[in-house]
Amino acid sequence: MISLSSATQPSCLTHGTIKVSKLIIADSCKYGRRVAQTPGRINVEQNLVFGLVAKNMIKDSCHTRRISVLAASTFPVIQPANKLSTYLFRTEKGGHVKVITELKNDKYRVNLEVSPLHENDDDVIMSWGIFRSDSSSLIPLESSDSGISETPFVNKSLNKLSTELEFNASLAPFYVSFLLKSHFGGEKIEIRSHRRTNFCFPVGIRSGSPAPLGLSYSADGSINFALFSRNAKSVVLCLFENKSKENPALEIDLDPYVNRSGDIWHASMDSDMNFVSYGYRIRNSGQDESYEHQVLLDPYAKVIGEKFIGEICKQPTFDWSDEIRPCLPMEKLMVYRLNVTDFTKDPSSNLTNEVGGTFLGVSEKLDHFKNLGVNAILLEPIVPYDKQVGPYFPSHFFSPRNPLTIQSLKEMVKRLHANGIEVLMEVVLTHTSQTASLTKIDRPSYYLSTKNELNCAHPVVQQLILDSLRNWVIEYHIDGFCFINASSMLRGFNGEILSRPPLIEAISFDPILSNTKLIADSFDPIQKSTKEIQFPHWKRWAEMNTEFFRDTRNYLRGETLVSNLATRICGSGDIFLNGRGPAFCFNFVSRNHGLTLVDSVSFSNTSELSWNCGEEGATKRKSVLETRLKQIRNYLFILYISLGVPVLNIGDECGQSSGGSVNRSDRKPFNWNALQTGFAIQTTEFISFLSALKIRRSDLLQRREFLKVENIDWYGTNLSLPNWEDPTSKFLAVSLKVEKEINRDDENMLDGDMFAAFNGGDEAVTATVPPPPADMAWVRLVDTSLPFPGFFSVTGDSIPEMMPGAPAYEVASHSCVLLEARRRIDS
């Protein structure tokens, strides 16, 4: 037994002669209305699922026509192999009308069977008409000038009457509304449904499937639409025939009995229909009425059209053949973070307007990445966002901002991969902008609060996030993700921090995502602050090391203990010691929010931990300028000499400045002419040198595991232990020792231990250097206090010895020094 409820039909087919005007949807009236549903019960044949379907032609306030599909019961049978749908209606006389629609050979065949209505009912006639919502009249038929046709039933078998209709597939989608005519007791009678309404069923529109969410193509060529909304009172699928049209050509009011499974609304239609884009109108209880007329973007749309609605198309194909993905180990990464638009938007990039500021513009600057020695780029969010608040407030998760960029993004990724450069993406999955369609589709399910913070503990939100990340990996071959505001991904339904957050665990062990780089960044764009939290990592998650940023800045402005700097140099063991290692530590000294690197040495700002080196802002004082130059070198030196992954920020190599502003909106596009300045030339060359050094000495500087205790020694000025807890102590030195077994096995190895000294004080310090290994001598690779080009050297400069076997080196104020032990060539 299946319980049925019903829906009302427009009385388009009336007693006696049917007037054409009654089949036309007039602007001044509404044909049909919804009534309260009363359940009924019928017996059904085994293996059949029946639906009672009705249609309501409504003229809405936007003057667009809508097909309202109203039904009662469970879903109609849909067999994708031959596109067959079955419906069963109960008549007001107690009989049944069974309708089967089937697409075959570009024809829709409709078979109707009628069970006995009364005795001697061989003269039953079907009076019917066809409607679509994108015209103000019925669809004209060759067989009827009026648009109303009458088709007789024939006696098919015992107690069964049947008839068959046939339509060209090009007419679909449409709805057939009909009633039955017969004679009884010498009088003509009209027979309708048990609700005394016309029978109605769809052609070309089927129930569809609840999975997968979004737009998908079935094996039989049909298009399926599926949308999650638990709290929607009604969902209207809006279809557009022209991208330039404001109003949809067809609106299908999805029936909660036929087009809903649990909390998912769905429908399907044939792919040869001439619709190019789609969206949804949603009505929720308590919702602002203005939203009801807004066509919303499908949260799962893979291709976004001009009007910020989904396009009905498959994702553009792309030739990934011959692609070689770098698959770099985490510890080998050297990252450059950039904004795609700002990177090449400026005319100084010498790119055309079509290429500048795009993904292709990024790939055109491949040589710049090579010059810096970076092997991974980190893209700021590239999804659609609210321009009023910036890219860290997304309005969509599945695709770039417009369809034209899809191919160029893939081309950029393929070209960078061919040159050994990985592509990482920043993603914001913990909140959205107010413009996001999720805020209108189902706020109670998707969000925690009125601040548009997503409920990452909700299974549907988790599915949305996982599906979007998989899409970036599968479709665009993205190598990894940096999760902005990652700490908010740990929250439960009530905002509490979970020890085993299901979303983080799901990402960690997802068969696709677990093979990518996963980086947690706890910066909160809403509060504009970083949240301190112990991140559950399952030995798979790396983190943006905010403590490295803080301690490095504090040390270089004289505001921290040398013990804090030591912790950061050797890989931040306080954060990454338990089950991970320095390879999971992403270090940075400047960010894409707050002060730029050059501004951090030009302006004093307590919240930014910056020091102006003696004078605020622009200056011509030589001593101040020299100190600022040394400090920038110091930042870069500490960044690369420390264990972990160095992350550069766009513009740091050429002294990009925002005039001391911490507002992201004050950041300027990258000025390529600035690379020709003396500052940019020496800084770029220094970064290139440090990158090469990190690769060459990967045994000490690019490690997956921490250095052993016996392979690292810390010193004060006279080879004594540092003054770890003395806040006035500004000097620190460290000796990094090569593994003994490696040194013994490789007799031809020229490079040995390394010695680095850091002086954050205002006075020079004469530091005693430990004796080099046997048959080796110290050479100087870096001294940030020396003038360019002598402050770094690839070949190494010899250093004087104050006494045999015990060299000393004067470390200037606010400077760093790096020595390397090399085998004597003449030994």
Side-chain angles (χ1 to χ4, degrees):
M1 302 291 288
I2 295 181
S3 176
L4 293 180
S5 54
S6 67
T8 329
Q9 302 300 328
S11 300
C12 299
L13 308 176
T14 60
H15 298 276
T17 304
I18 301 172
K19 297 181 180 180
V20 176
S21 61
K22 292 189 177 181
L23 287 169
I24 298 176
I25 307 171
D27 285 351
S28 58
C29 64
K30 298 179 181 178
Y31 285 100
R33 55 188 175 84
R34 296 189 182 184
V35 297
Q37 297 180 351
T38 304
R41 294 183 180 272
I42 63 170
N43 292 319
V44 298
E45 300 173 9
Q46 191 175 11
N47 298 326
L48 288 178
V49 184
F50 303 111
L52 175 62
V53 182
K55 172 183 63 109
N56 189 7
M57 307 292 288
I58 299 175
K59 175 104 171 41
D60 64 19
S61 61
C62 295
H63 297 280
T64 58
R65 276 68 184 181
R66 184 193 310 176
I67 292 180
S68 179
V69 188
L70 304 175
S73 85
T74 52
F75 306 101
V77 169
I78 295 181
Q79 302 175 12
N82 56 0
K83 300 183 180 179
L84 180 145
S85 301
T86 302
Y87 307 91
L88 186 69
F89 300 90
R90 188 157 51 120
T91 72
E92 59 185 333
K93 300 298 184 180
H96 292 157
V97 177
K98 181 179 178 181
V99 179
I100 300 177
T101 67
E102 179 182 12
L103 176 62
K104 194 172 184 179
N105 299 327
D106 294 327
K107 297 283 187 180
Y108 278 104
R109 291 183 173 85
V110 180
N111 182 272
L112 296 95
E113 291 184 355
V114 179
S115 62
L117 303 174
H118 50 75
E119 295 182 1
N120 302 320
D121 54 2
D122 293 341
D123 60 346
V124 177
I125 295 173
M126 173 185 177
S127 182
W128 56 276
I130 302 174
F131 299 89
R132 270 192 67 189
S133 67
D134 62 342
S135 69
S136 59
S137 63
L138 58 106
I139 298 176
L141 301 172
E142 294 181 1
S143 60
S144 172
D145 294 335
S146 66
I148 300 300
S149 297
E150 293 190 344
T151 303
F153 282 83
V154 297
N155 198 333
K156 178 180 179 182
S157 61
L158 183 64
N159 295 329
K160 292 286 185 180
L161 299 175
S162 68
T163 189
E164 189 171 280
L165 306 176
E166 188 175 86
F167 305 95
N168 289 326
S170 60
L171 285 175
F174 58 85
Y175 284 79
V176 178
S177 179
F178 69 96
L179 54 82
L180 304 177
K181 293 183 178 182
S182 183
H183 288 84
F184 183 73
E187 296 183 1
K188 288 185 177 181
I189 62 172
E190 294 180 348
I191 302 171
R192 294 180 171 81
S193 73
H194 72 291
R195 288 311 177 91
R196 303 184 185 279
T197 61
N198 292 336
F199 305 98
C200 187
F201 60 89
V203 176
I205 303 171
R206 296 181 292 279
S207 169
S209 170
L213 289 170
L215 180 144
S216 59
Y217 286 80
S218 303
D220 63 351
S222 62
I223 304 174
N224 192 76
F225 303 88
L227 174 77
F228 171 88
S229 183
R230 172 176 296 175
N231 293 283
K233 300 302 180 183
S234 68
V235 175
V236 179
L237 174 61
C238 302
L239 302 170
F240 295 77
E241 289 181 333
N242 191 315
K243 294 180 181 180
S244 62
K245 296 290 185 181
E246 290 292 334
N247 297 321
L250 177 65
E251 292 185 295
I252 304 172
D253 195 346
L254 302 185
D255 173 25
Y257 292 95
V258 171
N259 301 103
R260 183 172 182 174
S261 299
D263 298 324
I264 298 176
W265 303 73
H266 45 80
S268 68
M269 60 175 45
D270 297 319
S271 59
D272 54 1
M273 297 182 184
N274 297 321
F275 297 111
V276 297
S277 54
Y278 75 104
Y280 296 94
R281 297 192 201 274
I282 309 291
R283 183 173 67 84
N284 294 311
S285 58
Q287 175 181 273
D288 189 334
E289 292 185 2
S290 63
Y291 292 156
E292 296 183 15
H293 305 297
Q294 182 178 350
V295 179
L296 302 175
L297 173 68
D298 178 3
Y300 273 76
K302 306 299 192 306
V303 182
I304 302 176
E306 298 175 1
K307 299 184 182 300
F308 202 59
I309 55 176
E311 291 199 355
I312 300 178
C313 65
K314 295 182 179 179
Q315 295 197 65
T317 58
F318 184 78
D319 182 13
W320 288 105
S321 62
D322 301 324
E323 182 209 20
I324 302 175
R325 303 185 76 163
C327 297
L328 300 172
M330 193 93 79
E331 66 272 14
K332 302 296 184 182
L333 292 181
M334 285 178 279
V335 182
Y336 185 91
R337 175 161 44 191
L338 61 88
N339 177 282
V340 172
T341 302
D342 289 346
F343 190 56
T344 59
K345 177 183 179 180
D346 194 86
S348 62
S349 67
N350 293 324
L351 300 177
T352 63
N353 293 334
E354 292 74 20
V355 176
T358 68
F359 296 112
L360 291 180
V362 174
S363 58
E364 287 295 321
K365 298 300 182 180
L366 184 62
D367 288 342
H368 184 64
F369 301 134
K370 291 183 176 181
N371 290 338
L372 293 174
V374 299
N375 56 19
I377 62 171
L378 174 60
L379 306 179
E380 291 185 11
I382 60 174
V383 297
Y385 61 88
D386 185 351
K387 294 183 179 180
Q388 300 296 322
V389 289
Y392 291 93
F393 294 84
S395 51
H396 194 62
F397 297 122
F398 277 85
S399 64
R401 288 188 282 273
N402 64 71
L404 298 178
T405 61
I406 291 178
Q407 292 296 89
S408 62
L409 172 57
K410 293 179 179 180
E411 290 174 12
M412 180 200 76
V413 171
K414 184 176 181 180
R415 185 174 178 186
L416 291 175
H417 281 178
N419 286 272
I421 299 176
E422 292 194 340
V423 180
L424 313 176
M425 278 177 48
E426 286 187 338
V427 289
V428 183
L429 303 171
T430 56
H431 60 269
T432 69
S433 66
Q434 184 58 39
T435 60
S437 60
L438 292 177
T439 62
K440 291 100 176 172
I441 290 174
D442 192 345
R443 176 176 282 278
S445 294
Y446 281 108
Y447 292 91
L448 278 172
S449 66
T450 57
K451 294 182 180 180
N452 299 326
E453 295 174 289
L454 289 171
N455 183 1
C456 292
H458 196 293
V460 170
V461 177
Q462 293 174 28
Q463 181 183 356
L464 175 76
I465 291 173
L466 290 169
D467 288 343
S468 69
L469 294 174
R470 293 187 194 114
N471 182 65
W472 288 109
V473 175
I474 295 171
E475 282 294 324
Y476 298 93
H477 292 204
I478 297 300
D479 300 291
F481 304 94
C482 178
F483 296 81
I484 304 298
N485 199 18
S487 57
S488 292
M489 299 169 69
L490 314 183
R491 294 185 299 180
F493 278 88
N494 299 315
E496 74 280 13
I497 299 298
L498 303 176
S499 59
R500 293 192 61 162
L503 176 58
I504 302 300
E505 187 170 7
I507 294 173
S508 301
F509 296 99
D510 184 89
I512 295 174
L513 302 179
S514 61
N515 293 321
T516 64
K517 275 80 175 177
L518 304 175
I519 311 157
D521 187 340
S522 293
F523 174 73
D524 183 352
I526 299 176
Q527 302 296 332
K528 293 182 171 46
S529 62
T530 300
K531 300 176 181 177
E532 299 296 334
I533 194 166
Q534 187 174 358
F535 198 85
H537 51 78
W538 279 278
K539 298 182 181 180
R540 297 173 187 259
W541 286 76
E543 293 183 52
M544 282 291 177
N545 191 357
T546 304
E547 291 303 313
F548 182 92
F549 169 83
R550 290 175 177 166
D551 288 337
T552 302
R553 284 206 171 185
N554 276 329
Y555 174 76
L556 291 179
R557 71 187 187 122
E559 296 290 339
T560 192
L561 300 174
V562 293
S563 58
N564 293 331
L565 178 64
T567 301
R568 305 307 152 212
I569 291 173
C570 60
S572 298
D574 58 333
I575 302 173
F576 301 97
L577 187 61
N578 186 18
R580 291 183 286 180
F584 294 85
C585 170
F586 279 61
N587 299 325
F588 62 96
V589 292
S590 65
R591 304 170 290 192
N592 51 355
H593 52 87
L595 294 178
T596 65
L597 181 59
V598 72
D599 284 350
S600 69
V601 300
S602 304
F603 299 89
S604 291
N605 186 314
T606 303
S607 62
E608 288 292 311
L609 309 178
S610 62
W611 175 50
N612 62 20
C613 299
E615 187 172 327
E616 190 74 1
T619 182
K620 293 183 179 180
R621 288 175 55 190
K622 184 178 180 180
S623 60
V624 173
L625 293 174
E626 288 177 347
T627 303
R628 289 178 180 179
L629 184 59
K630 287 191 295 182
Q631 289 288 75
I632 290 175
R633 295 172 180 176
N634 294 338
Y635 274 122
L636 295 172
F637 176 76
I638 295 174
L639 177 65
Y640 277 85
I641 206 68
S642 300
L643 289 179
V645 177
V647 180
L648 287 172
N649 205 54
I650 177 176
D652 286 349
E653 69 271 37
C654 63
Q656 193 102 349
S657 172
S658 298
S661 173
V662 298
N663 296 325
R664 197 183 177 284
S665 58
D666 293 328
R667 295 270 175 123
K668 300 174 183 178
F670 190 92
N671 185 352
W672 290 90
N673 291 333
L675 289 174
Q676 308 305 316
T677 63
F679 171 84
I681 291 172
Q682 61 174 287
T683 304
T684 300
E685 290 185 11
F686 187 42
I687 294 172
S688 178
F689 162 80
L690 292 172
S691 299
L693 173 67
K694 202 167 182 72
I695 294 172
R696 181 172 65 83
R697 296 312 311 267
S698 59
D699 59 317
L700 295 176
L701 304 180
Q702 286 185 324
R703 297 178 58 89
R704 195 165 187 85
E705 300 84 18
F706 290 99
L707 288 165
K708 298 177 181 178
V709 175
E710 59 268 25
N711 292 333
I712 184 168
D713 288 328
W714 298 99
Y715 304 107
T717 56
N718 297 312
L719 299 184
S720 58
L721 287 175
N723 297 319
W724 294 121
E725 304 303 323
D726 184 358
T728 64
S729 177
K730 308 301 178 187
F731 181 84
L732 178 68
V734 60
S735 179
L736 305 178
K737 300 179 181 179
V738 175
E739 294 278 356
K740 291 183 179 180
E741 56 269 22
I742 296 177
N743 198 17
R744 181 177 61 251
D745 294 340
D746 189 359
E747 296 180 354
N748 297 318
M749 189 180 68
L750 298 178
D751 304 329
D753 299 351
M754 302 184 78
F755 176 84
F758 311 86
N759 183 9
D762 296 328
E763 302 294 333
V765 174
T766 300
T768 304
V769 180
D775 299 326
M776 286 190 168
W778 292 113
V779 297
R780 183 184 66 227
L781 299 183
V782 176
D783 185 339
T784 59
S785 68
L786 298 178
F788 178 75
F791 75 92
F792 65 92
S793 172
V794 175
T795 58
D797 300 320
S798 60
I799 62 172
E801 295 184 354
M802 296 183 65
M803 62 182 66
Y809 195 94
E810 184 176 284
V811 183
S813 63
H814 303 293
S815 67
C816 301
V817 171
L818 177 65
L819 308 180
E820 183 179 38
R822 292 189 177 178
R823 192 174 299 278
R824 299 179 189 273
I825 303 299
D826 56 351
S827 63

